[in-house]
Amino acid sequence: MNLLAKALKAWFYLGALLAVALTPAAYANGDMPGGPKVNQLDFPAPATKIMEEIHWLNWFMIVICAIIFVGVFGVMFYSILKHRKSKGAKAASFHESTTVEIIWTVIPLIIVIAMALPATKTVVAMKDTTNSDITIKTTGYQWKWGYDYIKGQGEGISFISTLSTPREQVNNLAPKSLTYLMEVDNEMVVPVNKKIRIITTANDVIHAWAVPAFGVKQDAIPGFVRDTWFKAEKIGTFRGQCSELCGAQHAFMPIVVKVVSAEDYSKWVDAKKKEMAGNADDPSKTYTLDEQKERGVKVYAANCAACHQANGKGAGAFPAMEGSKVVLGPKEAHYQILLNGKNAMPKWSGVLSDGELAAVMTYTRNSWGNKTGEVIQTQDFVTARTVTK
Amino acid sequence: MSTISTTHDSVHDHAHDQPHGWRRWLFATNHKDIGTMYLIFSFVSLLAGGVMALGIRLELFQPGLQYFRPEFFNQLTTMHGLVMVFGAIMPAFVGFANWMIPLQIGAADMAFARMNNLSFWILPVAAALLFGSFLVPGGAPAGGWTLYAPLSLQMGPGMDLAIFAIHLLGASSIMGSINIIVTILNMRAPGMTLMKMPMFCWTWLITAYLLIAVMPVLAGVITMVLTDRHFGTTFFSAVGGGDPVMFQHIFWFFGHPEVYIMILPAFGIISEIVPAFSRKTLFGYSSMVYATSSIAILSFIVWAHHMFTTGMPVTGQLFFMYATMLIAVPTGVKIFNWVATMWRGSMTFETPMLWAIGFIFVFTMGGFTGLILAMAPIDIGLQDTYYVVAHFHYVLVAGSLFAMFAGFYFWCPKWTGRMANDARGKIHFWGSLIFFNLTFFPMHFLGLAGMPRRYADYPTQFTDFNMIASVSALGFGVMQVYFLLFVVLPAYRGQGVKASDCPWDGAKGLEWTIPSPAPFHTFETPPQVDFDALMHPSNSPTHAH
């Protein structure tokens, strides 16, 4: 006992030492709206019928398992207490009973079948993606999500959804918000009580699109399409995270779905369509250096800073932009690497528009210590693409 | 009985004498020496993998990125998995097999003694390749121990090193398995029919068949990754008509039997220890054999339960869900048999028995979460979350590792000639059990709340449970260092109580008929034993089944 006390004491000091050695990260303490609660113990509150069923199934399993657990280990611990040599127990000699063996094979079999039956119903329901009101294609990129509304109200809407948590919070230079790592610049917006079919695919490696409150998790596989569905019954914001290891920034590509009323959805669709029309790049337009840099800094923060860092100095395997041979070298090579990628650098053609590419290229060529003074125009990328082909 | 080996030593010429110095180990053909080398290798791997685990837990102690960049964090998770599976657990069980199978069946050595040497000495080479991957540009593989394509196609040359390492480890496993199968089938003492064989030999016989069946499948799939990476094939790239999901199908066709490769020998060890300390014969011996075989056969038809979120057709999901749940039945039979063995026994609780009971208790919890994960709808909520991490650590740490600790304390007298210190063994047991549960139990909550696995950073709401897990993981690691320094080394240095030939009064079997420590050569002439009398001494000598 003395030894135990000593061990505990040593342990306490070690813990205290550790606590001092590790500077505490500053963060807001509280439940995340639409995300996990502080020290949450169970699945998130369901926002769909499917998730309600999953909740029920989980508790149904926990209760059955707990009963078996108590039964089996009740017998074992009774035996441990009563049938010990120190209490004078003499060992019995029985070591076989076909009847008993059959009983404890058949009863578990029946229990397992009883468990499988309700699960079957839910599996069939989860796989039924027919008769959807709206179909949205979600594309996984390293490391962001692309949403294309391809059928139903809002058809034609298309945007990229990227983590909006500032890097300073990740690097412990700023206090972390309540929605740390589970907030995006452009949320997926869907109407309440409508069946939404999600088609998943990916551009590079496998990702998984997941929203726990909906009971949805579907791998997004490059070159293939898969589908799943949900019908949210609550208005609100629901959050999830990429759930298949997809490389370095796997933890930094969350999913946020905003469920709104039918009217609000119509309003959002109209606004989004207007915004897209406004954003459409006119290749004939010529921008100034400052205009391009202003747009470019946003594109850079959302797409490039994860690897090359906001200060342009790169990190580890990811090269610095400042003083880079590609960034300061001939434009032709720079177009190619942006459009087609190279090694760990993804292909940005099809992800970013020509206007965005021109802006971010201008930004990198005229930021930090780089001062080429060159302004890249949308038309330059239109031309570069034809060269590529 | 105990004099057989010693009397025979003198009759043989010097070729059979014990070699000395480094030659004894480099050119080892003796099953006991090779077994010891396997165990040392796997313990070093356990510590190396443990240091990586502590690196992971250090980064996850708090939200935010503190110590490692995410790319290095991913290398740690990947290498932790590979090292623990291929470097720690699998070689450790082969070490147990090398030591104990010849002693348990009354064979002089393993069937292919020189191949045995080769299958061990491949391991350090493979380990050098695997650890060397940290030093090449781009670092170690970072795509998870499952090496899923196409992510594994993006990795640097570290991935190629890992692929070669796994090839070598696979070759070693296959050679080891062939050796074990031939030894068991051909070299049993006269009178020891298969159905009179110790359970540990049975579980290893079945495991060896599983290994031979699936290691080539793993070798195949990583070779396909290799050719995709360097030789222009497109097995896993849709651009050339391949399919990334095919990687997962092939990988898990290996991977699921692999799970049982890592647990069946553990079942065998527990089936030796529980009867010994209950002073009763194992209940339902033949049903144990059938249950083990059923688990092995079922393990080939459940692989896609690792892939419920890939988007299988509904019939596929249902089939794999049902087949998986079916495994609960034979596994349950095993648990019930162990409990029935304890029932009305005359139990004592020396360290091996504590570990065995700890194993049954905690492994069953991992079994239940396995059953819950088998339900496809629940799995879709839990796939790739910390719930899965909790589940497989409950079956691999509290399962395989705890059973090996039980086996060490049980057979340590035979290996070293000394009793492992019982008081220290109990500290090791209780410390490990408590820290293990404090580390991994909170991960169930994290998983339910949605924290994905393989994340270098997490939302702040998950902080408290991660802190508990990190601090406890350190405690668990410290307990294993304690085990090495204060239990293992003293026993090997000859400190502690000298062990008699059979230090456990309830232990049965041929290994307890030879001296402790086991002499260099044992059973050079097959022992003549009445196995019924040996295994059931409480019954009359004329007892018949």
Side-chain angles (χ1 to χ4, degrees), chain B residues 132-191:
Chain B
S133 68
F134 272 117
L135 306 174
V136 299
W145 84 277
T146 50
L147 310 172
Y148 276 12
L151 187 59
S152 50
L153 306 180
Q154 288 187 345
M155 300 290 144
M159 185 72 202
D160 302 316
L161 291 180
I163 287 174
F164 292 136
I166 296 169
H167 273 139
L168 290 175
L169 294 164
S172 163
S173 287
I174 289 172
M175 282 190 274
S177 305
I178 291 172
N179 220 337
I180 286 165
I181 290 173
V182 176
T183 307
I184 291 177
L185 293 184
N186 285 351
M187 297 173 67
R188 294 190 312 278

Side-chain angles (χ1 to χ4, degrees), chain A residues 3 11 14-15 18-19 21-25 27-28 30-32 36-44 54 57-58 60-62 65 68-69 72-73 75-80 83-86 89-97 100-101 104-105 108-109 112 115-116 119-120 122-124 126-127 142 167 169-172 176-182 204-206 212 215-219 221-224 226 241-252 315-318, chain B residues 58 61-67 69-71 74 142-144 148-151 154 238 242-245 248 278-287 309-314 317-318 321-322 325-326 328-329 333 335-337 339-340 342-349 357 360-361 364-365 368 371-372 375-385 427 435 445 448-465 471 474-475 478 505 536 538-539 543 545:
Chain A
L3 200 70
W11 192 244
L14 196 66
L18 202 72
L22 305 163
T23 4
Y27 56 85
D31 297 345
M32 187 190 298
K37 292 184 171 31
V38 175
N39 299 339
Q40 182 179 320
L41 301 176
D42 194 5
F43 275 126
I54 292 176
L57 279 173
N58 189 40
F60 167 74
M61 292 294 288
I62 289 173
C65 290
I68 301 171
F69 196 83
V72 173
F73 289 103
V75 173
M76 189 174 92
F77 283 111
Y78 178 85
S79 184
I80 286 173
H83 305 148
R84 46 170 73 208
K85 199 182 174 193
S86 57
K90 290 268 180 296
S93 64
F94 68 88
H95 58 86
E96 225 163 21
S97 165
V100 170
E101 297 284 357
W104 67 37
T105 308
L109 188 65
V112 163
M115 287 169 167
T120 304
T122 310
V123 170
V124 173
M126 285 172 107
K127 295 301 286 187
Q142 282 172 318
R167 281 277 141 181
Q169 290 189 20
V170 177
N171 294 327
N172 308 307
K176 297 171 182 26
S177 69
L178 280 183
T179 48
Y180 177 67
L181 296 187
M182 294 183 84
D204 29 51
V205 298
I206 303 175
V216 167
K217 185 177 290 155
Q218 176 58 55
D219 287 1
I221 300 159
F224 290 83
R226 295 288 196 270
Q241 291 175 294
C242 178
S243 299
E244 182 65 65
L245 179 59
C246 59
Q249 307 293 319
H250 173 45
F252 306 100
F318 304 115
Chain B
L58 181 68
F61 183 70
Q62 295 188 99
L65 295 177
Q66 278 88 8
Y67 301 95
R69 286 194 308 274
E71 7 345 350
N74 289 346
Y148 276 12
L151 187 59
Q154 288 187 345
D243 182 353
V245 178
Q248 298 182 27
S278 305
R279 291 165 183 76
K280 258 179 79 200
T281 311
L282 180 67
F283 187 85
Y285 174 93
S286 41
S287 77
T309 61
T310 55
M312 266 182 279
V314 65
Q317 281 206 350
L318 290 176
M321 177 172 89
Y322 298 151
M325 297 182 82
L326 216 50
V329 175
V333 167
I335 307 274
F336 300 144
N337 280 337
V339 173
M342 291 186 216
W343 186 253
R344 288 180 55 209
S346 171
M347 275 189 274
T348 51
F349 302 93
I357 293 172
I360 297 173
F361 191 72
T364 304
M365 288 161 72
F368 280 134
L371 193 55
I372 291 172
M375 305 268 277
I378 306 179
D379 181 75
I380 284 173
L382 297 173
Q383 165 84 18
D384 262 292
T385 69
I427 293 172
F435 284 127
F445 303 134
L448 284 162
M451 178 171 164
R453 64 191 282 212
R454 294 162 169 172
Y455 262 33
D457 194 5
Y458 51 83
T460 58
Q461 287 79 6
F462 298 134
T463 309
D464 292 352
F465 286 138
V471 175
L474 181 60
V478 169
D505 59 342
H536 310 295
S538 54
N539 298 331
H543 167 84
H545 280 279

Side-chain angles (χ1 to χ4, degrees), chain B residues 89 392-403 405 436 440 476:
Chain B
I89 306 243
F392 67 69
H393 282 92
Y394 265 81
V395 291
L396 283 179
V397 178
S400 310
L401 188 64
F402 278 23
F405 286 140
F436 168 80
F440 293 104
F476 188 79

Side-chain angles (χ1 to χ4, degrees), chain B residues 2 45 65 69 120 162 176 189 219 229 267 282 306 321 371 381 418 429 431 433 440 447 470 492 525:
Chain B
S2 59
S45 300
L65 295 177
R69 286 194 308 274
F120 171 76
R229 284 167 58 81
F267 289 165
L282 180 67
H306 298 269
M321 177 172 89
L371 193 55
R418 301 282 162 166
F429 169 71
L433 185 76
F440 293 104
S470 289
Y492 275 94
T525 43

